[in-house]
Amino acid sequence: VSVQEDFKVEAEPVSEQGTAYENTGEEKAAFNSFEQRQIEFMIGKTVDQDVTLDNGEVIPAGEVITAELAQKVTSRKTLMEVSVHLNNQLTND
């Protein structure tokens, strides 16, 4: 068995908070495809505990995650926190 180690890994710039940003200079997380799917997955679900977003806004327990609300998740830390507190049952709306 031979292993080739000729692949390249390109790192994204990282802020002091540990969030990767796009090269445009904007303070917006450059989520990878898995993280983007996580955000899509959370739409229509509720959180079972209050979650504070990076902008200070609080998603209260029981709140349905809408596409608009999901766009306010701007860091990997907040994405993880919202994901951990998701209620896995879809709403009937």
Side-chain angles (χ1 to χ4, degrees), residues 14-85:
V14 177
S15 74
E16 293 176 9
Q17 294 87 15
T19 303
Y21 295 115
E22 297 174 340
N23 291 331
T24 61
E26 297 177 21
E27 291 192 4
K28 182 178 179 184
F31 293 123
N32 64 37
S33 60
F34 176 74
E35 292 162 334
Q36 290 170 358
R37 286 192 304 251
Q38 279 184 293
I39 291 171
E40 292 170 10
F41 174 78
M42 71 174 63
I43 295 173
K45 300 211 163 90
T46 59
V47 290
D48 58 13
Q49 182 175 317
D50 291 356
V51 177
T52 303
L53 300 175
D54 297 311
N55 65 4
E57 183 178 343
V58 175
I59 303 173
E63 182 79 16
V64 176
I65 304 295
T66 62
E68 181 181 313
L69 192 54
Q71 289 178 348
K72 295 179 180 182
V73 175
T74 58
S75 72
R76 289 184 170 100
K77 175 184 175 279
T78 305
L79 174 59
M80 181 60 75
E81 188 172 348
V82 172
S83 296
V84 166
H85 296 295

